Amino acid sequence: MRQFVLFFAFTSLCLAATAQGNFLNLQGGPGLGWMSGHNYASETQTMRSLPAIGAEYAGFFSDKAFVTIGADFIKKGAWDLGIKYVENGATIQTNSFTSDFKYLVIPFMVHKTIGSDKLFFSFGGGFFLGALLEHQHEVNTGLLNIRLIEDDTDDYNMLDLGLQLRLGFRVMINEGYYFLINVNHQMGLMNTYSKTLDDGGSLKTNASFAQFGFGFKL
């Protein structure tokens, strides 16, 4: 976690020193999450709803290009996710009605803008780093349909890394404020599971979400 904080602080200072205009964006909204990388998980899962809320620094180098670096709390995962893994030579199957990841995510993206000074669209991309705060899954005990929530954070890797794409829309309220709408897609590239999955493969996070908020000039 300390490496994330140092990376965020150092990069923000470098961007602020070279940018022509600096803004702080406060934003949040709903989305959908799912897992990929393993046939069994893909066949038994469905998308789950997720919240995404956070703040980001936006540094404008011109009226046509800017960069962002942020810190978001995102709840990823999937519904009805079952997985098979191998432990001590035996194949074990889980039946999780909810697979629930809680991540602190730091996205870094470069954006291109189209439009006027008052209203413009943007499209951009980059990468994200995620630090796992907690993982829980809900299981059926088989007794009177009673379900239990179990914390199995230790079974998952702390770090996640992937690509992020964004389409944005901004309306300037005045020189110091704007209203924003962002549509994001995150595609995880790393295996989040620390154990060996049955038949190989991996569990990778995916998320698509919208963000609504405001930007304030620094």
Side-chain angles (χ1 to χ4, degrees):
M1 187 67 68
R2 184 174 61 182
Q3 288 86 345
F4 274 80
V5 175
L6 292 175
F7 171 81
F8 179 81
F10 175 75
T11 307
S12 299
L13 289 173
C14 292
L15 293 176
T18 56
Q20 299 175 4
N22 301 306
F23 283 80
L24 175 66
N25 297 335
L26 302 178
Q27 56 200 14
L32 293 171
W34 65 99
M35 305 299 292
S36 63
H38 191 271
N39 290 335
Y40 184 80
S42 299
E43 291 169 359
T44 59
Q45 74 176 34
T46 57
M47 293 181 178
R48 64 153 295 158
S49 58
L50 65 86
I53 186 170
E56 70 179 7
Y57 163 81
F60 287 79
F61 295 100
S62 70
D63 57 354
K64 298 298 182 183
F66 66 100
V67 297
T68 57
I69 180 170
D72 297 318
F73 172 80
I74 301 180
K75 192 174 181 180
K76 298 184 179 183
W79 296 117
D80 302 321
L81 175 64
I83 58 174
K84 292 181 179 179
Y85 64 92
V86 179
E87 188 172 50
N88 298 324
T91 299
I92 302 173
Q93 178 177 336
T94 67
N95 183 19
S96 305
F97 287 89
T98 304
S99 179
D100 182 7
F101 294 83
K102 295 181 177 71
Y103 276 107
L104 173 64
V105 176
I106 296 180
F108 179 86
M109 289 178 284
V110 179
H111 308 264
K112 174 73 174 177
T113 65
I114 300 175
S116 65
D117 293 338
K118 298 295 184 181
L119 185 153
F120 63 87
F121 295 89
S122 63
F123 56 93
F127 65 91
F128 72 87
L129 294 171
L132 181 63
L133 305 177
E134 183 182 50
H135 183 275
Q136 294 179 327
H137 70 272
E138 182 181 348
V139 298
N140 191 338
T141 64
L143 178 64
L144 301 177
N145 201 31
I146 297 175
R147 300 178 182 182
L148 297 176
I149 295 177
E150 297 184 0
D151 186 321
D152 58 350
T153 306
D154 292 340
D155 292 341
Y156 290 81
N157 297 318
M158 177 185 174
L159 295 181
D160 193 16
L161 170 68
L163 303 177
Q164 180 162 340
L165 300 176
R166 174 184 289 178
L167 295 177
F169 173 71
R170 283 171 172 76
V171 179
M172 298 300 300
I173 301 172
N174 54 44
E175 292 185 356
Y177 301 91
Y178 55 69
F179 171 73
L180 64 87
I181 301 175
N182 293 323
V183 179
N184 303 271
H185 176 67
Q186 291 182 351
M187 180 177 65
L189 301 177
M190 294 181 61
N191 182 16
T192 62
Y193 204 52
S194 62
K195 297 183 178 181
T196 301
L197 291 166
D198 182 56
D199 297 329
S202 58
L203 290 178
K204 299 177 182 179
T205 62
N206 297 273
S208 292
F209 54 96
Q211 293 172 307
F212 306 87
F214 292 90
F216 308 86
K217 191 169 185 179
L218 299 175

